[in-house]
């Protein structure tokens, strides 16, 4: 009588879950290294945004407390560019998972005795590493065009930590999208189409005071805006007389950023793991 195949494990301890997640993360990182154009093309867009917004729009946008000062706008802008870059990792996460689904790789993973959710956790961790690399390169470009952080090393690292936490939260949204569509192309489109209004109806590129009143409330309660303002405060990139809006997330941006990111991770990780368990 032939031996029975091991049944897939439905759960597993924390140690096993961490081990399985790291194995999957290593697999995805090795894949990125073997396809370096994935990293190169991922760097081109944010660098273009830095250059275009700094030199094309820098002298045309008035900041409360600074006026039409290109240098002040350049420092004001960079937190928005950093935040936009980490959230755009959503599209890559969704496309990668959709590609694995399309090739049948997810079905093979589901048949193995591994911790539930490790495939998705490993994928998001690999995307987090890629996002961190992108941030490092982008920070160097920002320094070249004149951006500076003025609040010391610890507060600067805290700002980048908030950015990476937001990026990690958004990769779980990408994971859910990737599991919900049929092709990588659909995952890429689905991962980007909602990001543009999210990032532009925010305080990333212009102050909310310059918007119509109904959009001001949307921008000030936008999770993206909370992280942008928090990083501006931690980097010391706000003009001296900049009027902070009265909305609670704008008055408590660091706490609001942490709460929004954790809430997104908990909600979308739960939905993504549930979708993964039933995906075919």
């Amino acid at each position: 009588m032939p031996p029975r195949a091991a049944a897939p494990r439905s759960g597993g301890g924390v140690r096993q879950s961490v081990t399985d997640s790291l194995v999957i993360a290593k697999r995805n990182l090795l894949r990125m290294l073997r396809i370096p154009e994935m990293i190169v093309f991922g760097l081109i867009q944010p660098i273009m945004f830095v250059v275009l917004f700094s030199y094309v729009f820098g002298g045309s946008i008035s900041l409360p407390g600074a006026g039409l000062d290109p240098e002040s706008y350049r420092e004001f802008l960079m937190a928005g560019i950093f935040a936009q870059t980490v959230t755009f990792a959503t599209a890559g996460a969704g496309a990668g998972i959709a590609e694995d689904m399309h090739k049948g790789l997810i079905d093979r993973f589901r048949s193995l005795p591994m911790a539930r959710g490790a495939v998705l956790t490993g994928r998001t961790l690999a995307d987090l590493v890629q996002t961190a690399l992108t941030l490092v390169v982008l920070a160097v470009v920002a320094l070249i065009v004149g951006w500076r952080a003025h609040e010391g090393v610890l507060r600067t690292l805290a700002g980048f930590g908030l950015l990476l936490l937001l990026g990690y939260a958004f990769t779980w949204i990408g994971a859910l999208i990737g599991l919900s569509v049929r092709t990588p192309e659909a995952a890429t489109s689905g991962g980007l189409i909602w990001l543009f209004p999210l990032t532009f109806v925010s305080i990333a590129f212009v102050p909310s005071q310059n918007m119509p009143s109904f959009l001001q409330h949307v921008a000030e309660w936008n999770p993206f805006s909370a992280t942008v303002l928090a990083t501006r405060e931690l980097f010391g990139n706000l003009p001296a007389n900049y009027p902070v809006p009265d909305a609670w997330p704008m008055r408590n941006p660091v706490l609001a950023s942490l709460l929004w990111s954790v809430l997104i991770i908990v909600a979308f990780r739960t939905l993504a793991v549930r979708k993964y368990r039933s995906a075919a």
Side-chain angles (χ1 to χ4, degrees):
M1 184 176 179
R4 292 184 179 180
R9 189 169 57 247
S10 59
V14 173
R15 181 177 179 181
Q16 186 64 49
S17 179
V18 171
T19 301
D20 292 344
S21 298
L22 292 177
V23 170
I24 297 296
K26 181 180 178 181
R27 172 254 177 192
N28 284 287
L29 288 172
L30 288 174
R31 180 173 178 269
M32 292 175 188
L33 291 176
R34 289 167 184 161
I35 312 176
E37 55 266 29
M38 291 174 59
I39 299 175
V40 173
F41 292 148
L43 292 172
I44 292 175
Q45 179 176 301
I47 290 174
M48 288 176 59
F49 270 106
V50 171
V51 175
L52 289 174
F53 274 88
S54 296
Y55 294 109
V56 177
F57 301 113
S60 305
I61 297 177
S62 177
L63 292 179
L68 294 173
D69 180 7
E71 292 185 6
S72 295
Y73 180 71
R74 195 172 296 127
E75 292 203 341
F76 178 88
L77 166 73
M78 284 314 306
I81 296 291
F82 289 148
Q84 185 189 57
T85 300
V86 300
T87 54
F88 271 42
T90 303
I97 290 174
E99 183 180 8
D100 288 344
M101 286 281 294
H102 187 67
K103 293 179 177 178
L105 189 61
I106 293 293
D107 286 335
R108 280 177 251 165
F109 281 140
R110 290 173 64 216
S111 69
L112 296 174
M114 61 193 307
R116 191 168 47 223
V119 172
L120 301 181
T121 302
R123 174 76 209 197
T124 56
L125 288 175
D127 288 326
L128 180 63
V129 173
Q130 184 178 4
T131 300
L133 175 62
T134 303
L135 269 184
V136 170
V137 175
L138 194 57
V140 172
V141 175
L143 289 170
I144 292 173
V145 300
W147 170 78
R148 296 293 184 271
H150 306 285
E151 295 294 326
V153 175
L154 291 180
R155 287 176 66 86
T156 300
L157 291 176
F160 282 112
L162 286 180
L163 290 167
L164 290 175
L165 182 63
L166 180 72
Y168 183 68
F170 273 60
T171 57
W172 281 107
I173 302 177
L176 181 61
I177 293 172
L179 290 167
S180 303
V181 299
R182 297 183 179 182
T183 64
E185 293 79 9
T188 301
S189 300
L192 289 175
I193 194 170
W194 59 275
L195 278 175
F196 281 102
L198 181 81
T199 55
F200 281 95
V201 185
S202 72
I203 62 169
F205 306 112
V206 296
S208 60
Q209 293 90 332
N210 294 357
M211 302 179 185
S213 58
F214 72 96
L215 281 182
Q216 287 184 24
H217 299 295
V218 176
E220 290 164 5
W221 283 89
N222 185 340
F224 187 81
S225 294
T227 300
V228 170
L229 185 57
T231 52
R232 281 178 183 146
E233 288 190 355
L234 291 170
F235 293 157
N237 289 160
L238 282 174
N241 299 317
Y242 184 83
V244 178
D246 289 329
W248 184 85
M250 301 291 95
R251 290 292 178 179
N252 305 274
V254 174
L255 179 59
S257 175
L258 286 170
L259 291 176
W260 274 121
S261 295
V262 171
L263 180 62
I264 292 170
I265 291 171
V266 171
F268 282 91
R269 187 184 189 281
T270 301
L271 293 172
V273 172
R274 185 177 301 172
K275 185 72 176 178
Y276 169 77
R277 291 169 61 187
S278 62

